[in-house]
Amino acid sequence: MSSRKSELETLKAELQARLTRYEAHQHREAGALDKDFEEQATQTQNDEVVDSLEVETRAELVQIAHALERIDSGAGDECEKCGEQIDPRRLQVLPYTTVCVNCADN
Ligand SMILES: [Zn+2]
């Protein structure tokens, strides 16, 4: 098993744990309807922040699943667009990327 794959698996587990926390947060707040208005407004803002974090986390999980599929299919660290090897330094920063730096800029 490549180290990038285990890194992605770890990241995936972390993000899934985070999603579970976001969902727990949303469920708890959904039941809190008897608070005064000011508090509700703050909660609504929090909910919006958590909502956008949740969307972001889900998008990252989709990327990770896609990167893992490519590793499993043997494409490994090849760029999805041009077929060149992705710079290992880039993969260290963005382990779930599937395009090289040149293609990401385009
Ligand atoms: Zn490329």
Side-chain angles (χ1 to χ4, degrees):
M1 187 159 94
S2 78
S3 66
R4 186 180 166 217
K5 186 172 176 180
S6 60
E7 203 181 325
L8 283 170
E9 299 280 7
T10 306
L11 191 60
K12 187 174 156 187
E14 272 174 26
L15 291 177
Q16 273 165 345
R18 216 182 285 172
L19 261 190
T20 307
R21 284 204 301 276
Y22 293 153
E23 277 159 13
H25 172 89
Q26 302 295 46
H27 286 298
R28 195 174 60 240
E29 306 241 320
L33 292 172
D34 55 346
K35 307 262 180 186
D36 66 66
F37 177 76
E38 210 173 317
E39 237 178 281
Q40 274 190 20
T42 312
Q43 281 182 354
T44 306
Q45 277 180 348
N46 277 342
D47 283 355
E48 278 164 14
V49 171
V50 173
D51 271 347
S52 66
L53 285 172
E54 198 179 330
V55 168
E56 215 172 276
T57 305
R58 282 189 199 283
E60 272 181 56
L61 278 169
V62 169
Q63 255 313 141
I64 289 169
H66 183 58
L68 283 170
E69 267 169 32
R70 286 185 58 78
I71 291 169
D72 284 343
S73 74
D77 299 344
E78 279 172 22
C79 171
E80 201 166 25
K81 290 188 181 169
C82 69
E84 295 290 317
Q85 287 289 314
I86 302 171
D87 190 327
R89 282 167 298 180
R90 175 171 164 78
L91 289 174
Q92 258 179 1
V93 183
L94 293 169
Y96 47 80
T97 194
T98 51
V99 291
C100 72
V101 68
N102 292 328
C103 295
D105 282 346
N106 292 336

